[in-house]
C-alpha cells in the first residue's frame, strides 16, 4: 500500500508546544475527579479541538470485577478557624479538598480535625493531592506551614459535596484511516489542578489527534480521555469484542516535565509499538530510557492485563512517583514547559510515522547494486542536507528489501533513522527499483 508521506505532519513542534501549554493552562483550574462535572467540562473544552464522542456510564454499572462508583461533585469546602476566618479554602486551590470527600458540616477541636488533615512535611510549602474513591471519608490537604500556623480552638468544617447515582464520563475521538486496524492512544483526565500527571497527557493526545485528523492514514487512531483505572476497565468491558483491532497503543502521562523521555514496553515486550518507540528514542538524539513492563503504573496495567495483553506501552518523560512534584501543588504550570511538550509531541509523531510507513518491500534489481546515478538517485536529491545519509539509506533498503525484512528491521539493523529509510524507499520506488511500496 502506498502511504502519503507523513514527514512534516501537523504544525511545527514548537508551535504545538506553545498551544498545548495554553490549553493546559485553560484546563488547570478545573476540579476534576474520576466522575463529575469537572470531567465533563474538561471534555467540553477538548471538543473545541477534536471530534469527541462523550459516553456516560451509569453509576452501579458492572465492569469485570469493578463497579462504576457514585458520581462526585463539590461546590465548596473550607475549614473555618476559631476566629471565623477560612483557614483552608477550596476556592484557593481545588487540591485542598480530598477527592471524593463525603459531605460534612461539623465543629470540632483541632485535635480531632488533625486526623483529616494531610500535609507534606518534607515540602512544607506544597499541598499534597489525596483521594478516597472507594472508601467513605473526608479530608483536607494543606501545606505544612499552613498546618503549623493553626491555633488550638474549635473549627468549623464544611464540605459541600454530593455523591449521587450519576455517571462516569469519558471521551473518545476516532480519527479514521484506510483500515480498521487501530492505534490506541489513552490518557487519564481525572486529576484536578495537576499538570504533568494528567494534563500534559491530555493536551498531547488532543494535539496528536488534531495533527492526524488532516492526514492520509493507514491505521485508524482512537484517542481515549478517561478517568484512570476505572475508565480503562469500563472502556475494555464495553469494547471487548473489538479490541483485536488494536495493533499498537500508547498510554501518555507525565510528558511535559524537563526529564528525559521514558518508554515502558508493553507486556509482550516485542510488539511493533515497542520496537517503533525504542527505535525512535534511540535515533532522535538525546537521553532516554526504556524499561520493561511491570503491572504498576497507568492504564497500561489494564490494557496489558493477561486477559487482553494488548500491544500498549506507556510513554512518559519522568515516570509517576519519580519526581518530587508528583501529586502535589508543585506539579503546576511552571513545572510543565512548552518545549518539553513539544519534544514529546515530535517523538510521538515520529512513532506514528513508523507505524504508518513500515512495510516489507522487494528490490527489483537484486543482482548487484543498481546504478543509482543514471536514475538520478546519486548525488543531491532536492537539495537535501543529508544526501550522504540518504544514499547510505538507499543501499540499506536495496540490500535488505528481499521480502523478508521490513523497513523497521532495516532501521534497527542499520541504526539509521526510520524516516530517512522511508524517504529512501520512496525515492527507490519512484525510480522503479522497489516493489510493494
Ligand atoms: Zn496521578
Amino acid at each position: 500500500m502506498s502511504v502519503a508521506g507523513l514527514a512534516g505532519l501537523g504544525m511545527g513542534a514548537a508551535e504545538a508546544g506553545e498551544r498545548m501549554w495554553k490549553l493546559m493552562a485553560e484546563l488547570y483550574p478545573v476540579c476534576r475527579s474520576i466522575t463529575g462535572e469537572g470531567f465533563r467540562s474538561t471534555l467540553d473544552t477538548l471538543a473545541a479541538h477534536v471530534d469527541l464522542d462523550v459516553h456516560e456510564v451509569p453509576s452501579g454499572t458492572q465492569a469485570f470485577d469493578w463497579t462504576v462508583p457514585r458520581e462526585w461533585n463539590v461546590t465548596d469546602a473550607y475549614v473555618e478557624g476559631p476566629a471565623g476566618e477560612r483557614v483552608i479554602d477550596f476556592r484557593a486551590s481545588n487540591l485542598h479538598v480530598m477527592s471524593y470527600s463525603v459531605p460534612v458540616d461539623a465543629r470540632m477541636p483541632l485535635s480531632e480535625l488533625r486526623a483529616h488533615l494531610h500535609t507534606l512535611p518534607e515540602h512544607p510549602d506544597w499541598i499534597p493531592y489525596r483521594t478516597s474513591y472507594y472508601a467513605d471519608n473526608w479530608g483536607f490537604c494543606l501545606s505544612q506551614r499552613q498546618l503549623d500556623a493553626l491555633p488550638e480552638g474549635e473549627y468549623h468544617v464544611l464540605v459541600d459535596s454530593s455523591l449521587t447515582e450519576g455517571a462516569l464520563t469519558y471521551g473518545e475521538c476516532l480519527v479514521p484511516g484506510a483500515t480498521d486496524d487501530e492505534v490506541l492512544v489513552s490518557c487519564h483526565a481525572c486529576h484536578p489542578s495537576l499538570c504533568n500527571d494528567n494534563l500534559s497527557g491530555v493536551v498531547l493526545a488532543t494535539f496528536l489527534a488534531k495533527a492526524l485528523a488532516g492526514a492520509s492514514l493507514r491505521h485508524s487512531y482512537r484517542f481515549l480521555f478517561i478517568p484512570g483505572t476505572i475508565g480503562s476497565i469500563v472502556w475494555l468491558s464495553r469494547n471487548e469484542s473489538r479490541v483485536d483491532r488494536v495493533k499498537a497503543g500508547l498510554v501518555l502521562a507525565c510528558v511535559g516535565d524537563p526529564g528525559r523521555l521514558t518508554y515502558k514496553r508493553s507486556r509482550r515486550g516485542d510488539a511493533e509499538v515497542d520496537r517503533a518507540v525504542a527505535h525512535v528514542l534511540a535515533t532522535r538524539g538525546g537521553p532516554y530510557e526504556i524499561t520493561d513492563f511491570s503491572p504498576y503504573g497507568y492504564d497500561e496495567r489494564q490494557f496489558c492485563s493477561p486477559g487482553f495483553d494488548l500491544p500498549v506501552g506507556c510513554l512518559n518523560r519522568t515516570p509517576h512517583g519519580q519526581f518530587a512534584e508528583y501529586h502535589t501543588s508543585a506539579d503546576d504550570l511552571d513545572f510543565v514547559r512548552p518545549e518539553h511538550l513539544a519534544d514529546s509531541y515530535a517523538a510521538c509523531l515520529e512513532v506514528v510515522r513508523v507505524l504508518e510507513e513500515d512495510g516489507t518491500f522487494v528490490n527489483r534489481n537484486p543482482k548487484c547494486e543498481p546504478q543509482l546515478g543514471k536514475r538520478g538517485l546519486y548525488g543531491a536529491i532536492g537539495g537535501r542536507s543529508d544526501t550522504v545519509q540518504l544514499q547510505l539509506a538507499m543501499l540499506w533498503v536495496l540490500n535488505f528489501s528481499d521480502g523478508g525484512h521490513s523497513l523497521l528491521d532495516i532501521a534497527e539493523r542499520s541504526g539509521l533513522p526510520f524516516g530517512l529509510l522511508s524517504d529512501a524507499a520512496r525515492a527507490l520506488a519512484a525510480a522503479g527499483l522497489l516493489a510493494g511500496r
Side-chain angles (χ1 to χ4, degrees), residues 129 188 190-191 194 197-198 254 298 320 326-327:
Y129 164 56
H188 66 293
C190 54
H191 290 16
L194 295 171
D197 178 17
N198 164 60
C254 304
Y298 289 105
H320 67 91
Y326 173 74
H327 280 189

Side-chain angles (χ1 to χ4, degrees), residues 394-419:
M394 281 193 247
L395 296 180
W396 276 98
V397 171
L398 284 168
N399 192 295
F400 282 93
S401 289
D402 53 5
H405 295 89
S406 70
L407 274 188
L408 183 55
D409 292 332
I410 302 169
E412 288 174 337
R413 185 151 175 169
S414 66
L416 293 173
F418 179 91

Side-chain angles (χ1 to χ4, degrees), residues 32-359:
R32 279 166 293 271
S33 187
I34 54 173
T35 63
E37 290 304 328
F39 201 102
R40 284 191 192 94
S41 81
T42 297
L43 295 183
D44 285 347
T45 300
L46 299 183
H49 295 264
V50 293
D51 264 342
L52 209 58
D53 287 329
V54 175
H55 303 265
E56 299 275 354
V57 184
S59 302
T61 302
Q62 203 65 26
F64 303 117
D65 201 37
W66 295 62
T67 307
V68 173
R70 289 170 295 170
E71 179 176 328
W72 183 70
N73 285 287
V74 59
T75 49
D76 198 9
Y78 56 82
V79 174
E80 276 177 346
E85 79 288 9
R86 287 192 179 199
V87 292
I88 309 172
D89 189 353
F90 170 72
R91 292 179 306 194
S93 167
N94 58 40
L95 295 175
H96 278 314
V97 65
M98 183 168 75
S99 194
Y100 263 72
S101 281
V102 298
V104 58
D105 183 357
R107 292 178 187 280
M108 63 190 68
L110 182 60
S111 56
E112 196 179 319
L113 176 61
R114 278 182 189 278
H116 295 276
L117 300 182
H118 305 275
T119 64
L120 288 169
E122 65 276 27
H123 294 289
D125 291 316
W126 296 357
I127 307 165
Y129 164 56
R130 294 281 184 272
T131 66
S132 182
Y133 300 140
Y134 300 104
D136 278 0
N137 200 352
W138 61 268
F140 283 86
C141 304
L142 68 164
S143 72
Q144 184 66 39
R145 267 187 233 290
Q146 268 179 298
L147 177 62
D148 292 344
L150 296 182
E152 292 299 328
E154 187 170 81
Y155 285 78
H156 175 211
V157 175
L158 183 121
V159 177
D160 186 4
S161 65
S162 60
L163 281 154
T164 57
E165 296 301 316
L168 175 150
T169 312
Y170 68 90
E172 199 166 9
C173 165
L174 181 69
V175 178
T179 70
D180 287 336
D181 287 352
E182 284 188 8
V183 177
L184 190 69
V185 179
S186 178
C187 62
H188 66 293
C190 54
H191 290 16
S193 293
L194 295 171
C195 284
N196 202 36
D197 178 17
N198 164 60
L199 290 179
S200 69
V202 170
V203 298
L204 177 56
T206 301
F207 274 70
L208 290 174
K210 275 168 89 102
L212 296 181
S216 162
L217 299 164
R218 178 165 65 168
H219 300 86
S220 296
Y221 287 75
R222 188 176 298 277
F223 293 85
L224 302 183
F225 302 89
I226 54 179
T229 306
I230 186 68
S232 52
I233 292 169
V234 164
W235 186 86
L236 284 163
S237 76
R238 290 158 62 99
N239 291 277
E240 194 173 358
S241 64
R242 309 181 341 176
V243 292
D244 58 346
R245 296 177 180 182
V246 177
K247 305 303 181 195
L250 281 176
V251 171
L252 301 177
C254 304
V255 287
D257 67 275
R260 60 188 174 186
L261 279 164
T262 303
Y263 177 68
K264 176 177 151 185
R265 292 189 188 100
S266 74
R267 182 175 180 271
R268 299 184 190 181
D270 61 351
E272 191 181 8
V273 66
D274 299 321
R275 294 177 55 205
V277 179
H279 172 74
V280 165
L281 295 189
T283 53
R284 68 194 304 268
Y288 68 97
E289 186 171 353
I290 294 179
T291 61
D292 272 325
F293 177 78
S294 63
Y296 188 64
Y298 289 105
D299 286 311
E300 72 278 7
R301 294 160 63 161
Q302 315 310 330
F303 298 124
C304 295
S305 56
F308 288 103
D309 199 17
L310 297 179
V312 176
C314 181
L315 189 70
N316 310 135
R317 299 188 77 84
T318 306
H320 67 91
Q322 295 183 26
F323 51 99
E325 296 83 354
Y326 173 74
H327 280 189
T328 78
S329 55
D331 181 1
D332 61 10
L333 292 165
D334 291 324
F335 183 57
V336 170
R337 302 309 307 164
E339 61 269 29
H340 309 312
L341 291 168
D343 185 62
S344 301
Y345 173 83
C348 286
L349 286 182
E350 286 184 52
V351 172
V352 166
R353 191 172 178 203
V354 176
L355 298 175
E356 285 295 306
E357 297 185 1
D358 193 24

